[in-house]
Amino acid sequence: MKIDKNIVLIGFMGVGKGTIARELAKQTGIFAIDGDDMIESFANKKIKEIFEDDGEDEFRKIELNLAKFLEKSVSNAIISTGGGFYKVKNLNKIGTVIYLKSSFEKIIDRMKKSSNCEKKFAKRPLLSNLKKAKELHDQRDKEYEKKADFVVIVEDKSTKQIAKEIMKIIKEKL
């Protein structure tokens, strides 16, 4: 399958953007790119370490550089992004933006049920305080919707079901 534009998955941390991107890649043969993996590779350290050693501002600078790179150099790809990536100014120039939407409670439940639960929480510094994280989720929800070309509700759906729904959007609307 070939797509005209990149598909950019946005949403709150832990919603399953990387998992969905990998499933879409499997179903379509289109490469999936994980923005957080690219940032870690560029910085030669884990995101948690970037936050701890250099601060969130430095992380966001690297994220901006990634956004510029993706816009200029990447096409025909499925891109999963970090939870705050939606703030980059050129987001809609990178590709068609799909917001994977879920309640905060369902995201936390999903993460707790995963086999590598501790790892998932440990690599997300902003989830260390769940009360603050919920406030951030609630604030970002409206912002994600504004930036998205399409919204896909992911609650109580399997990875395959979500991928199928995104495939339908790609085929019918793009």
Side-chain angles (χ1 to χ4, degrees):
M1 180 181 211
K2 183 158 177 23
I3 50 178
D4 294 333
K5 293 173 83 178
N6 293 317
I7 302 297
V8 182
L9 303 178
I10 64 168
F12 201 67
M13 62 190 111
V15 78
K17 297 177 297 285
T19 304
I20 302 302
R22 287 187 294 278
E23 179 61 30
L24 280 167
K26 196 164 92 179
Q27 288 188 23
T28 62
I30 298 169
F31 268 91
I33 297 172
D34 187 302
D36 284 350
D37 287 350
M38 292 181 79
I39 288 170
E40 287 181 349
S41 180
F42 174 83
N44 198 24
K45 53 172 98 171
K46 298 286 182 198
I47 286 172
K48 183 178 179 163
E49 293 167 348
I50 299 170
F51 270 76
E52 288 168 357
D53 299 347
D54 311 312
E56 187 173 354
D57 286 347
E58 182 59 27
F59 174 80
R60 297 297 170 203
K61 280 183 202 163
I62 298 169
E63 207 171 45
L64 284 174
N65 287 339
L66 173 62
K68 290 174 191 168
F69 167 77
L70 292 171
E71 179 187 349
K72 288 179 176 43
S73 308
V74 177
S75 61
N76 195 37
I78 299 155
I79 303 166
S80 59
T81 65
F85 192 81
Y86 75 97
K87 291 181 181 177
V88 299
K89 287 179 175 53
N90 65 331
L91 180 67
N92 295 87
K93 290 179 181 174
I94 296 169
T96 300
V97 179
I98 298 177
Y99 169 30
L100 302 180
K101 182 180 171 88
S102 175
S103 70
F104 182 75
E105 295 72 22
K106 292 281 184 176
I107 291 170
I108 298 304
D109 285 349
R110 178 187 171 279
M111 288 176 62
K112 284 181 178 173
K113 287 177 186 163
S114 72
S115 58
N116 53 350
C117 170
E118 286 87 27
K119 261 187 175 173
K120 286 188 182 274
F121 278 94
K123 77 176 203 177
R124 293 171 173 89
L126 297 177
L127 284 182
S128 58
N129 178 333
L130 289 182
K131 186 177 182 280
K132 262 185 162 169
K134 176 161 180 14
E135 289 169 9
L136 185 62
H137 172 276
D138 295 347
Q139 171 213 326
R140 283 184 176 178
D141 182 50
K142 290 163 194 63
E143 294 173 26
Y144 289 138
E145 285 200 18
K146 282 182 203 159
K147 291 282 189 139
D149 296 305
F150 302 98
V151 176
V152 174
I153 309 287
V154 299
E155 287 185 12
D156 303 317
K157 293 178 187 169
S158 72
T159 304
K160 281 185 170 51
Q161 287 172 312
I162 298 162
K164 227 180 231 174
E165 205 170 316
I166 294 169
M167 297 274 294
K168 190 175 177 189
I169 290 168
I170 293 168
K171 286 177 182 163
E172 292 178 5
K173 303 193 170 143
L174 300 179

